[in-house]
Amino acid sequence: EVQLVESGGGLVKPGGSLRLTCAASGFILSGNHMTWVRQVPGKGLEWISFTNGVTNKISYADSVKGRFTMSRDNAKNSAYLQMNSLRDEDTAFYYCLGSGSFSTWGQGTPVTVSS
Amino acid sequence: QAVVTQEPSVTVSPGGTVTLTCGSSTGAVTSGHYPYWFQQKPGQAPRTLIYDTNNKHSWTPARFSGSLLGGKAALTLSGAQPEDEADYYCFLFYGDDGVFGGGTKLAVL
């Protein structure tokens, strides 16, 4: 069964950092595309980052560019989202999403940025 | 950045057929945008119904189908059920950048 599990969310002060983990099972992350998405409760979905599994190019939404860094550890079959210089408006549920036939969603991890 | 547009809300009668659409500010939506359709019910994580225009997952009910229609991506629901009441989001790729539509709230009444 293809499964993604996010972890690492929590409460952090503005300007702080968090690292989110997306652990994959049932498929090999390496060579496959991966997307991070976030959602403010009651609002729509926002694309924030994408790793092209073929070219290894990583792209970011303007709202997080320069502050967030996406990476992966093939040995752990996991992807990461390092979030620095966090702002109030980064408060949301964060999801990782596979691609194509592996486009399953995790349950999400909540991030709250507040003083 | 491109803007992806969806109907804000749509109502369908039980057993009826409805088509939700997904347009792009840059022009016609094509298979090169790899259209996705996601369903989200209150309090739940989204789930993927359709990927790459018209491909279904094992969990996608047969009554859902994806296509390209009149320059847009389309999600057609044939034989709506009460449990289909949810928010539906389309997602398009522009190269390696992604953009979500604002979502369509589907009511089955």
Side-chain angles (χ1 to χ4, degrees):
Chain A
E1 180 192 5
V2 173
Q3 197 171 12
L4 295 171
V5 178
E6 302 94 341
S7 61
L11 174 63
V12 62
K13 289 182 167 52
S17 298
L18 278 177
R19 189 175 87 148
L20 306 184
T21 298
C22 172
S25 59
F27 74 107
I28 305 299
L29 213 53
S30 174
N32 282 290
H33 308 321
M34 176 61 64
T35 299
W36 282 96
V37 175
R38 68 184 179 185
Q39 184 176 38
V40 175
K43 303 295 185 182
L45 300 170
E46 180 187 9
W47 171 80
I48 54 174
S49 185
F50 172 77
T51 294
N52 186 312
V54 176
T55 66
N56 290 317
K57 179 186 173 186
I58 304 174
S59 53
Y60 300 94
D62 288 343
S63 58
V64 306
K65 199 173 293 182
R67 301 187 299 123
F68 289 13
T69 302
M70 189 176 178
S71 62
R72 65 171 65 181
D73 183 333
N74 293 334
K76 295 184 177 179
N77 209 32
S78 295
Y80 306 97
L81 188 67
Q82 178 66 42
M83 305 187 297
N84 298 331
S85 303
L86 283 162
R87 306 167 179 167
D88 291 350
E89 56 265 33
D90 295 318
T91 294
F93 260 83
Y94 284 73
Y95 298 95
C96 57
L97 168 65
S99 69
S101 58
F102 304 124
S103 55
T104 188
W105 291 72
Q107 83 290 349
T109 187
V111 171
T112 302
V113 184
S114 174
S115 52
Chain B
Q1 179 173 323
V3 175
V4 175
T5 55
Q6 298 182 245
E7 300 86 359
S9 64
V10 172
T11 300
V12 62
S13 300
T17 295
V18 65
T19 297
L20 310 184
T21 67
C22 175
S24 171
S25 63
T26 62
V29 176
T30 70
S31 59
H33 290 99
Y34 303 97
Y36 283 71
W37 289 95
F38 306 112
Q39 179 192 63
Q40 187 177 34
K41 297 182 179 180
Q44 296 183 16
R47 70 168 182 167
T48 305
L49 292 178
I50 300 290
Y51 63 93
D52 296 351
T53 306
N54 56 10
N55 291 282
K56 300 181 186 183
H57 281 287
S58 58
W59 56 79
T60 305
R63 59 185 179 274
F64 288 96
S65 63
S67 64
L68 296 175
L69 200 63
K72 296 182 178 183
L75 177 71
T76 299
L77 170 57
S78 303
Q81 302 297 310
E83 60 265 29
D84 299 328
E85 193 160 285
D87 293 327
Y88 292 84
Y89 294 92
C90 73
F91 177 73
L92 301 178
F93 276 106
Y94 295 83
D96 287 333
D97 291 346
V99 182
F100 280 96
T104 296
K105 186 173 291 292
L106 179 69
V108 181
L109 297 172

